[in-house]
């Protein structure tokens, strides 16, 4: 039997007593847990100690590096410009929200300017939608690519949105599953290291974080969202990745759709030079941040949406993954409309309520592995700041299974506020920019 360098109980006691773990202790902890030497109940106890007592920046940075070192690192240095220089790379990560389809128009938009965008994305769980679920509404589109196919697509059209391979930060996959069932998901050091271990292992040169705050976000409180954003920016900076974060409003849904196929439809509208103003605003602002991180400061992403260049990259990107960008998208078989009950200004539209309704209609999943309905979701007809009249449609619920309407409508009780004296200014979208 081999001798271990440390003992799990001693590691737990250090964090229990508000101590600081050494780099060697952290390296051993992640490696030993991945190997099965540290038992699940021991790691659960350590997670709770971290939740309650925190970690300093050096500890979080080393914890993240140890998780990266549990798997492979991707390398995009073989991607070259026409002049033979290494092609810059940039990526975006959102902490998740309702109607957040920004990745879809953003990846091809940034690629227009010669920046490679390796966007490794995930699936939805609960009320927050998943980028891969949305794209799978496109007939024929495939989420899984080999590393070789991913590199070929990046060289050809400059952008790829696909599932992350199992080789990136495998320690995180095991640790996340444990956090999910032990009440420790909310620990900011563990959230930050979970996100950033995968993003740093992905190998991108620049990273923009879209940290949502509000009802429909994982972080409801702005102070906690700011702490998470600052922690992740620090982790990226420590790892040599140019990292910035935008704190963005998720009190109300993004755009006018929450679902899968209907969010693809809205994304294509944005790529065609139209679409809801808030989706366009955030797409352009994130594109500017990604391009600046890649060293490009004179680009005009708004113009590339308006003149069709981003749409050209989108079409090539979808074709490359087996999809038909011109095929008809799935349409839900059943619909039900929610109407305004008074005249006035719509002052509130709760993102969480809309997200839960879309989930209950079949757009999301309760457990990993559940199937989603491509056509299900919620189509909005008004946003905060809009004047509405009694009897006017506020939203349309979409599903293939009409017995889902009752529970979706329950989720929407109290979701809207209409005021005779309400402000027509709407809600500020970008709350802050965080960088080092």
């Amino acid at each position: 039997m081999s001798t271990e360098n440390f003992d799990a109980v001693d590691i737990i006691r250090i964090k229990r007593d508000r101590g600081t773990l050494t780099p060697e202790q952290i390296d051993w902890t992640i490696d030993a847990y991945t190997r099965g030497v540290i038992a699940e109940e021991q790691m659960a106890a350590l997670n709770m100690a971290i939740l309650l007592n925190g970690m300093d920046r050096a500890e979080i940075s080393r914890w993240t590096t140890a998780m990266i070192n549990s798997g492979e690192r991707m390398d995009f240095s073989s991607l070259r410009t026409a002049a033979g220089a290494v092609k810059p790379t940039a990526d975006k990560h959102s902490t998740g929200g309702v109607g957040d389809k920004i990745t879809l128009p953003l990846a091809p938009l940034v690629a227009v300017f010669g920046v490679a965008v390796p966007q490794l994305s995930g699936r939805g769980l609960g009320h927050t939608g998943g980028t891969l679920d949305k794209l799978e509404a496109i007939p024929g589109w495939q989420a899984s690519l080999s590393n070789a196919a991913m590199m070929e697509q990046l060289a050809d059209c400059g952008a790829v949105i696909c599932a992350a391979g199992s080789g990136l930060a495998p320690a995180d996959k095991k640790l996340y599953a444990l956090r999910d069932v032990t009440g420790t998901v909310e620990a900011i050091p563990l959230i930050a290291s979970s996100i950033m271990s995968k993003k740093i292992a992905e190998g991108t040169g620049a990273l923009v974080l879209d940290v949502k705050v509000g009802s429909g976000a994982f972080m409801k409180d702005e102070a906690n969202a700011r702490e998470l954003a600052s922690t992740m920016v620090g982790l990226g900076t420590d790892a040599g990745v140019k990292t910035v974060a935008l704190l963005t409003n998720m009190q109300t849904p993004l755009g006018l759709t929450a679902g899968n196929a209907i969010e693809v439809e809205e994304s294509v509208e944005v790529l065609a030079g139209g679409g809801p103003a808030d989706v366009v605003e955030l797409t352009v602002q994130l594109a500017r941040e990604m391009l600046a991180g890649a060293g490009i400061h004179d680009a005009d992403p708004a113009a590339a949406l308006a003149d069709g260049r981003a749409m050209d990259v989108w079409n090539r990107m979808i074709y490359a993954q087996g999809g038909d960008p011109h095929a008809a998208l799935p349409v839900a078989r059943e619909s039900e409309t929610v109407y305004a009950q008074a005249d006035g200004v719509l002052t509130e539209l709760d993102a969480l309520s809309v997200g839960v309704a879309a989930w209950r209609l079949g757009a999301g999943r309760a457990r990993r592995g559940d199937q989603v309905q491509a056509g299900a979701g919620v189509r909005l007809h008004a946003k905060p700041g809009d004047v509405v009249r009694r009897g006017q449609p506020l939203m349309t619920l979409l599903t293939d299974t009409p017995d889902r309407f009752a529970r979706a409508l329950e989720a929407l009780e109290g979701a809207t506020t209409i005021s005779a004296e309400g402000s027509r200014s709407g809600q500020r979208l970008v709350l802050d920019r965080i960088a080092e």
Side-chain angles (χ1 to χ4, degrees), residues 7 11 27 82 91 125 168 189 203 219 225 305 307-309 344 391 418 421:
D7 182 88
I11 300 291
D27 291 347
D91 187 15
L125 187 64
L168 289 180
M219 289 289 177
L305 284 178
D307 64 20
R309 284 177 288 164
I418 297 172
E421 303 291 328

Side-chain angles (χ1 to χ4, degrees), residues 64 192-200 207 209 232 235-236 243:
T64 303
S193 59
S194 174
I195 291 169
M196 295 301 291
S197 62
K198 295 189 289 287
K199 286 297 173 184
I200 295 166
L207 175 64
L209 300 162
M232 292 195 294
L235 288 173
T243 308

Side-chain angles (χ1 to χ4, degrees), residues 74 162 211 275-276 307 327 367 411 420:
M74 299 191 72
C162 65
V211 180
D307 64 20
R367 296 173 299 179

Side-chain angles (χ1 to χ4, degrees), residues 74-82 86-91 106-108 110-120 145-162 202-205 290 313 316-318 320-321:
M74 299 191 72
D75 181 3
F76 299 110
S77 61
S78 64
L79 294 172
R80 300 283 166 165
T81 65
V86 175
K87 199 170 192 178
T89 52
D91 187 15
L106 179 63
V110 173
V112 164
F113 298 96
V115 176
V117 185
Q119 182 73 53
L120 303 184
L145 293 179
S146 67
N147 286 355
M150 183 180 177
M151 294 294 288
E152 184 179 345
Q153 185 170 326
L154 284 170
D156 177 53
C157 64
V160 62
I161 303 172
C162 65
E202 181 189 298
T204 188
M290 290 172 70
V313 177
R316 296 206 310 273
M317 184 180 77
I318 298 302
Q321 288 171 248

Side-chain angles (χ1 to χ4, degrees), residues 242-261:
K242 295 175 184 175
T243 308
V244 300
L246 297 185
L247 219 58
T248 65
N249 192 330
M250 188 36 67
Q251 195 63 28
T252 196
L254 265 171
L256 296 170
T257 57
N260 295 309

